[in-house]
Amino acid sequence: MTEESNATYKSHDFRGRNHARNASRVRIVLFFSLAMMVGEIAAGQIFGSMALLADGWHMATHLAALGISLLAYTFAERQAENARFSFGTGKFGDLGAYTSAVVLAMVALGIGYEAVDRFFNPAPIQYAEAMGVAALGLVVNIAAAILLQEDHGHDHHGHGPDDHHEHGDHHRDLNLKSAYVHMLADAATSVLAMMAIGCAWAFGWVELDPAIGLVGAIVILRWAYTLMKSAGAMLLDVQPNVGLAEAIRAEIEALGDEVTDLHVWRVGPGHLAGIVSVATDQQRGVDFYRAALTGVAKLSHLTIEVEVKGA
């Protein structure tokens, strides 16, 4: 005989607790970045500066990524109570983060291609203007990155005894992290550009410009891969906390029962869901096991199935 939890319907809104705040921050950064991009492109056209034009259009790719992040926040909020989404829209941010990581990887490959091309086809550098653009971009991007940093202290929900020793991505807002990484990548690009421009300007090391550009492309590509891996794991419901799953199994087995099926996965930033199937010789119901797991698994959504052997 199988007994399942018959809990009344409850909201499946598994968005992060800082969803609205993070969306607002992305929106602010997007507007400032848009203003800077338009200003750089306009100034480049007026003053005939390729450095300004190149940086302006380069920022357009990061704007696209920020737009993806903002769209993910907006969609998740508007569809939060839509019953068509079985476990809510909390993971839409992970989808946005994965898409944004793909865009970041494309940016890195573009920078790498341009760097290799510069090795074989050196182009004259307008040092003063290029240094000014890089410095301005650095200031804006550092300010944006600081604004987009996630406050981890407000996002821990205490999901289990080993929560802080396992992979931390289950409580992170990967959508916000993707926007942060884009701004960080742009800041890193500005720093590397200033180094290359400074050395070429002072010592005539023109070949250092494409070399540093290639290094920057590799670093950014690695960041994109890391973000893609984290977001992809969440989208594919990879076990987010092995220690928690082991703690749940140990708690049930300590009662003399058998765990026949166990799944733990992330349904949104700071929210884990679980399914536990138990086989027992005792006349124990769902409520008994729910109470037994209260101190171990503070899951946002828990389904318990009990099979009484021989019944």
Side-chain angles (χ1 to χ4, degrees), residues 78-274:
R78 291 181 178 177
Q79 301 294 324
E81 298 298 334
N82 190 334
R84 292 178 60 196
F85 297 95
S86 299
F87 287 95
T89 56
K91 291 174 68 172
F92 201 79
D94 299 328
L95 179 60
Y98 187 88
T99 306
S100 189
V102 172
V103 173
L104 186 63
M106 292 172 65
V107 171
L109 291 174
I111 293 173
Y113 174 82
E114 185 177 347
V116 172
D117 183 64
R118 284 289 184 91
F119 272 117
F120 300 100
N121 303 292
I125 303 173
Q126 301 178 43
Y127 296 110
E129 290 180 350
M131 184 66 81
V133 170
L136 179 60
L138 179 61
V139 171
V140 171
N141 289 312
I142 287 178
I146 291 173
L147 186 63
L148 293 174
Q149 273 190 315
E150 187 169 7
D151 183 1
H152 298 302
H154 290 82
D155 291 324
H156 290 272
H157 290 253
H159 294 296
D162 297 318
D163 181 60
H164 300 290
H165 302 288
E166 293 295 329
H167 302 291
D169 281 339
H170 71 270
H171 57 73
R172 290 179 181 171
D173 185 339
L174 294 181
N175 196 34
L176 183 71
K177 182 180 178 182
S178 68
Y180 168 75
V181 171
H182 269 276
M183 292 299 100
L184 196 64
D186 224 11
T189 301
S190 296
V191 170
L192 293 173
M194 291 174 71
M195 291 172 55
I197 293 167
C199 290
W201 198 357
F203 309 111
W205 298 346
V206 180
E207 61 279 352
L208 195 61
D209 180 51
I212 289 182
L214 192 57
V215 170
I218 293 171
V219 171
I220 295 171
L221 193 60
R222 180 174 176 80
W223 288 348
Y225 169 76
T226 301
L227 180 58
M228 202 179 300
K229 183 178 179 181
S230 297
M234 298 303 110
L235 291 170
L236 294 174
D237 294 330
V238 170
Q239 179 74 272
N241 191 328
V242 176
L244 174 59
E246 291 176 348
I248 292 173
R249 184 181 297 277
E251 187 71 20
I252 299 297
E253 292 179 346
L255 298 171
D257 298 322
E258 179 187 359
V259 176
T260 57
D261 198 18
L262 174 60
H263 301 279
V264 177
W265 71 100
R266 165 176 148 143
V267 289
H271 295 282
L272 296 181

